[in-house]
Amino acid sequence: MAREGAGLFAAFRVLGRFSGHVPHVLRYHGRHREFYVATVVGRSVHTYNVSKRRPGNTLPQDIECLAADRMLIFASYDNVLHAFARNKEVVHTYEGHKARIHLLQPFGDHVISVDVDNVLIVWNIQSEEKYLQIDFDKATFAVSALLHPSTYLNKILLGSEQGTLQLWNIRSNKLLYSFPGWGLAVTTLEQAPAVDVVAVGLVSGHIIIHNIKYDETLMKFQQDWGPITAISFRTDGHPVMAAGSPVGHIALWDLEEKKLLCQMQDAHSTAIAGMTFVPGEPLLITNGADNALRVWIFDGPGGTGRVLRSRMGHSAPPTKIRYHGQNGKQILSAGQDGTLQSFSTVHEKFNKSLGHGSINKKKSKKKGLKLNTMALPPIISFASEVAHQSDWDGIVACHQGYITCTTWNYQKTSMGAHKLRPEEFSKHKPVDIYATAVDITSCGNFAVIGMSTGQVDVYNMQSGIHRGRYGEETAHEGAIRGVAVDGLNQLVITAGSEGLIKFWKFKMKDLVYCIELPSSPSGILLHRDSGVLGIAFDDFTISVLDIETRKIVRIFSGHHGRINDMTFSPDGRWLITSSMDCSIKTWDLPSGCLIDCFLVDSAAVSLTMSPTGDFLASAHVDDLGIYLWSNRSLYSLVSLRPLPADYEPSLVTLPNTCPMQDVDVSGDEEPCDEMIDYVSPEQLGEQLVTLSLLPESRWKNLINLDIIKKKNKPREPPKVPKSAPFFIPTLPGLIPRYIPPEEENDRQSKVVNLGVLVQKSDFCVHLEEALSTDKYKAPLDLLKSLGPSNIEIELRGLAPEGGGSVGVMLSFLRMIGVMLNKKYDFELTQAYLALFLKLHLKILSSEPKLLEELSKLSMQLEETWINLQALFNQSLCVLTYMKSALL
């Protein structure tokens, strides 16, 4: 049974993917007046300028061929060709090939494509129609290279696996000339800066500089590194040609002296896929299948280049990923290529490479990467802490099959100063003993390392000194499968392959407690804030242990393959696990149920959850990228109900290089039955005292309204200036004097008996009706909708002098009694009754009916308060006991 709607995590984007085996293309933007580099990353095209990357649109399959002209970028997969505009939109699609396209060449208003069946098609770019189709015979001329010679109108040059070259006129569909070649397959063709001159790269490593106008060979070079993979000419005044090789080396040839100028060895760790000199500048752009894109500048002596800018990720799949710090912006990743790298979730310019692990860094630099015999094996596990990382190393890592653990410095982006290994193995390195697990304390001062022999050692991160060992000789009889230190440096938890979990005092190294497990553990993970330990077993089950009570509190089963990794959500409520069965499952710890599950194409080998809870990051088998999944519960309505037993997880496509929008954000989807908001009833149970949902301002100050009004009243009333008449009368006499205005001598009282004139309010009417029907919902709802001042006016109007009557006052008291009986709106009941007593105390004491009703209310109030007080005392007692028991 499949669940309707989207799951808990949505695909967002991928980190650490920059290049592939497809050669890059360089294009000039006339309006922007700068060059752009386009590279292929899986199914997407990335476009770079000097400082920015612009991810393009995505195609259904991995792109296998790339080309560009002044306006468009052409990309093909299988037998389909697409054209991108503005680096994003697919504006043209060309379908007509029956085999995979492997060569592309923009040609003015046309584009030329060649497939592996030797079919050449010339397409009209705007109309998407075939202009010309040429079929070649594979036995005699298998097309392997394609070039449009400069200034050769309507002509293209084709190279073949048989070694011959052909010059064709596309407009007239004629073979103009056939070059005999050199008997070796042509791998690449490149236009030289000189007209009529073309560089031909051969499978033997030869580079032929040939004049196609006179069919003459001008010069010939040879490289010993295998076939020529790419050729480019420098155009800034230096006669230099660069040639790539399958082993990652680049040779620079001086065309004037006709000799080798210099070598750039290990420019890439794999074959040079693409290589282009920027026109008019001493810059060389290279890319390779090692997931690296580099810009080299030639500004030094000797003609060699240095790296000016680069974008690089892992050249081999990651083995372990973990978020670094608490801001959720950096992910540390260890790969099978032996490097430790940091990827930023904000921008690629913040990425860092901490380099390769090495036994001796100085000797490694002299020997180079290829000849380096001191390179350490890949990192299989590491732990990091940001505390004191600016003072000393903050990362400790253990390597595959290696006894020595290394420290790394995040601030210096390099390997650290210390090599951590037991003292008895300081002079010799055993073959069958190696480190298996590491952890670092939250203060960043100590590293705890577990060995395959069962030893658990503690080292100081600042000095690298050995600070002790747990157990007499070994902590466990079997290999250590995991170590963890709590947040206060009080306990060290170790897991052994013999099936035991042991708790040790961190400082004294004494054994505190031991738990026997039903199966051998494969790994442990501690959530320090909540004190919860996740344990993965070899039988594909997961247990959750509370380190305070030291008991198993949850057991989860459902995976059908080895559990690769686990991660907790920041609040400790979710445990997310990945397995070799290609599933990623989310377990809810409070309910003990599975709340989310989805499948991916390749199994996730490592998981990590952002400390801010916004992203889940995953690394997968045979994949170079780190994939981000957004937590949909932060911005959308997501069901967290347990999944049914017959739930069938759906296959989710891995995120792409550009951020993906979640379709659920728009709110257009209709929620399914289980996604509807739960509406809580007004009262959960009749025996429970329930408060209202009104804000405190509506009832808290009702009894003090007269004091508030008195404080807010101005001290003196505003004085109205006396207005003089238009013609001011004067008294007769020598000195003019004004006649004073006559004072009003009206002494008649203006007080009106409001009880006679005032109309009854809706509240009074509802109370009179309720006196006969005993239904007080209408007057209560009306009272709850009023503000404090209006409530006082309504309660004052209940008295006979205010237009009310004794019967209405009796009805109000009965309404209060109903509220006390049903135990809802408890704080409103107290506030309304207190204000009523304050306003009408004299009338209440003189009316027997009202006094009788008040005595009943007094008994109800006393009974309710006794019950509440008993519950309060019980709760306080339990809390006091728990505090004293834990401390």
Side-chain angles (χ1 to χ4, degrees), residues 586-607:
T586 305
W587 312 87
D588 186 64
L589 297 187
S591 64
C593 298
L594 177 68
I595 59 173
D596 187 72
C597 177
F598 63 94
L599 299 176
V600 288
D601 292 324
S602 58
V605 296
S606 187
L607 291 175

Side-chain angles (χ1 to χ4, degrees), residues 622-638:
D622 294 333
D623 203 306
L624 302 179
I626 296 173
Y627 294 90
L628 293 182
W629 308 81
S630 61
N631 183 1
R632 295 182 66 251
S633 66
L634 298 181
Y635 59 85
S636 182
L637 183 63
V638 180

Side-chain angles (χ1 to χ4, degrees), residues 226-493:
I228 304 299
T229 58
I231 298 174
S232 185
F233 290 91
R234 193 169 168 181
T235 57
D236 61 337
H238 295 265
V240 175
M241 177 186 67
S245 66
V247 293
H249 304 329
I250 297 174
L252 298 174
W253 301 90
D254 191 329
L255 299 179
E256 282 188 351
E257 301 291 335
K258 299 182 181 180
K259 66 177 184 180
L260 181 66
L261 182 64
C262 62
Q263 299 178 17
M264 297 167 56
Q265 294 196 357
D266 301 317
H268 289 268
S269 59
T270 59
I272 305 294
M275 184 167 52
T276 311
F277 273 104
V278 179
E281 297 184 28
L283 299 177
L284 177 67
I285 302 171
T286 61
N287 79 294
D290 59 347
N291 197 20
L293 176 69
R294 294 187 173 95
V295 180
W296 308 80
I297 185 169
F298 296 86
D299 57 353
T304 186
R306 62 179 177 88
V307 176
L308 179 65
R309 299 184 191 90
S310 66
R311 288 283 188 266
M312 57 178 294
H314 286 293
S315 59
T319 57
K320 194 85 169 181
I321 58 173
R322 287 291 181 266
Y323 269 93
H324 182 65
Q326 297 300 317
N327 58 7
K329 295 181 179 179
Q330 290 87 26
I331 298 177
L332 283 175
S333 171
Q336 294 179 10
D337 54 359
T339 62
L340 183 64
Q341 301 195 29
S342 171
F343 295 101
S344 171
T345 60
V346 178
H347 196 277
E348 294 169 352
K349 66 182 179 182
F350 301 118
N351 290 358
K352 295 181 180 181
S353 177
L354 280 69
H356 289 258
S358 177
I359 299 174
N360 191 315
K361 289 192 290 185
K362 292 183 179 179
K363 290 184 179 180
S364 298
K365 288 182 179 179
K366 291 181 180 179
K367 291 186 176 182
L369 292 176
K370 292 290 183 182
L371 301 175
N372 185 15
T373 58
M374 296 191 174
L376 289 173
I379 295 172
I380 59 171
S381 181
F382 66 87
S384 67
E385 188 59 52
V386 294
H388 295 298
Q389 69 173 2
S390 58
D391 302 322
W392 54 77
D393 301 339
I395 304 171
V396 60
C398 65
H399 300 260
Q400 183 177 1
Y402 201 71
I403 191 173
T404 302
C405 290
T406 55
T407 60
W408 301 75
N409 195 301
Y410 186 81
Q411 296 284 352
K412 298 178 180 178
T413 64
S414 66
M415 192 173 169
H418 305 302
K419 307 287 190 302
L420 308 179
R421 67 161 66 182
E423 297 177 353
E424 57 267 28
F425 302 116
S426 59
K427 294 183 179 180
H428 66 282
K429 185 183 75 172
V431 179
D432 55 345
I433 300 177
Y434 50 89
T436 57
V438 294
D439 197 13
I440 189 170
T441 57
S442 58
C443 61
N445 286 307
F446 298 98
V448 181
I449 300 173
M451 311 291 291
S452 60
T453 57
Q455 299 177 5
V456 179
D457 298 283
V458 183
Y459 297 86
N460 186 280
M461 289 294 292
Q462 182 179 6
S463 62
I465 298 175
H466 185 264
R467 290 301 186 189
R469 177 174 296 171
Y470 294 94
E472 296 181 0
E473 294 184 359
T474 61
H476 289 265
E477 296 179 0
I480 301 298
R481 295 288 177 86
V483 294
V485 186
D486 69 346
L488 299 175
N489 290 4
Q490 298 295 316
L491 288 176
V492 173
I493 305 165

Side-chain angles (χ1 to χ4, degrees), residues 575-742:
L575 176 63
I576 307 164
T577 59
S578 66
S579 170
M580 288 304 293
D581 59 7
C582 297
S583 66
I584 297 178
K585 298 188 176 185
T586 305
W587 312 87
D588 186 64
L589 297 187
S591 64
C593 298
L594 177 68
I595 59 173
D596 187 72
C597 177
F598 63 94
L599 299 176
V600 288
D601 292 324
S602 58
V605 296
S606 187
L607 291 175
T608 180
M609 188 78 176
S610 169
T612 57
D614 49 0
F615 291 113
L616 170 71
S618 62
H620 298 262
V621 174
D622 294 333
D623 203 306
L624 302 179
I626 296 173
Y627 294 90
L628 293 182
W629 308 81
S630 61
N631 183 1
R632 295 182 66 251
S633 66
L634 298 181
Y635 59 85
S636 182
L637 183 63
V638 180
S639 171
L640 298 180
R641 294 186 180 182
L643 298 180
D646 57 347
Y647 175 73
E648 295 180 3
S650 57
L651 182 66
V652 179
T653 306
L654 290 177
N656 205 356
T657 53
C658 53
M660 302 173 66
Q661 296 293 334
D662 191 3
V663 296
D664 198 47
V665 177
S666 62
D668 295 335
E669 297 182 358
E670 295 184 359
C672 59
D673 293 339
E674 65 177 16
M675 301 285 285
I676 297 175
D677 281 333
Y678 172 73
V679 179
S680 176
E682 293 185 1
Q683 192 173 18
L684 297 178
E686 294 183 357
Q687 73 280 8
L688 299 177
V689 173
T690 306
L691 304 181
S692 70
L693 298 179
L694 294 180
E696 290 184 352
S697 59
R698 303 279 286 274
W699 57 268
K700 193 172 184 180
N701 296 316
L702 278 177
I703 198 171
N704 299 318
L705 274 180
D706 53 346
I707 301 175
I708 296 173
K709 289 181 179 179
K710 189 176 181 180
K711 286 183 178 180
N712 295 337
K713 185 178 181 181
R715 294 182 179 179
E716 296 181 2
K719 295 180 180 179
V720 180
K722 295 181 179 180
S723 58
F726 184 76
F727 298 101
I728 302 176
T730 57
L731 294 173
L734 295 174
I735 300 173
R737 287 182 297 173
Y738 300 115
I739 299 176
E742 296 181 0

